[in-house]
Amino acid sequence: MILSLIIICHYIQQLINNLKLNKYFVDANVLYIRNTIFSMLTLIICNIFLNVYLFINKINNITNISIISHTSIMNYIIYFVILVISYVIYNIFKYGVKLQKDSDSFI
């Protein structure tokens, strides 16, 4: 789970660096957003498996890390909302790259 968080932070940092350099609609940004979504899905799946394992073995309060300690449906709703927003951003950038390529081909 920690590896997924590190990967997410890395791709977001790369995306921010490209945006600072005024590289908005390039293939790299689409790739960074897509990899961020996959990493987030990996994090959610690991979190689900961990919570199921802890529930089955009746292990409670093993740590105070917020990802693990408080399991609730609200966490998964928040994860789902973040994934939906990330997917919308991904589609916007993907469409922007397509428009950029079409625009460059006319010039």
Side-chain angles (χ1 to χ4, degrees):
M1 289 174 50
I2 292 174
L3 182 62
S4 294
L5 288 173
I6 291 170
I7 292 171
I8 289 169
C9 291
H10 172 72
Y11 286 128
I12 290 175
Q13 179 185 14
Q14 294 295 326
L15 179 66
I16 290 171
N17 288 339
N18 275 351
L19 294 177
K20 282 183 182 178
L21 296 173
N22 294 329
K23 296 179 182 178
Y24 301 112
F25 298 112
V26 293
D27 290 326
N29 289 346
V30 174
L31 183 68
Y32 296 148
I33 295 170
R34 188 188 72 199
N35 290 340
T36 302
I37 291 171
F38 287 142
S39 298
M40 186 69 182
L41 280 172
T42 304
L43 176 73
I44 293 169
I45 291 169
C46 289
N47 194 0
I48 289 171
F49 283 135
L50 180 65
N51 288 330
V52 168
Y53 175 77
L54 294 176
F55 179 76
I56 289 172
N57 292 318
K58 295 180 175 128
I59 301 172
N60 295 329
N61 298 325
I62 63 169
T63 183
N64 285 331
I65 299 174
S66 63
I67 294 174
I68 299 172
S69 64
H70 304 292
T71 59
S72 70
I73 296 299
M74 189 54 121
N75 289 346
Y76 297 111
I77 292 172
I78 292 170
Y79 291 155
F80 180 74
V81 169
I82 291 171
L83 281 175
V84 168
I85 291 170
S86 299
Y87 186 72
V88 168
I89 292 170
Y90 169 76
N91 281 328
I92 289 170
F93 272 85
K94 189 175 174 183
Y95 186 70
V97 167
K98 180 182 172 187
L99 287 178
Q100 186 72 33
K101 287 181 181 177
D102 287 343
S103 175
D104 290 343
S105 69
F106 286 123
I107 295 175

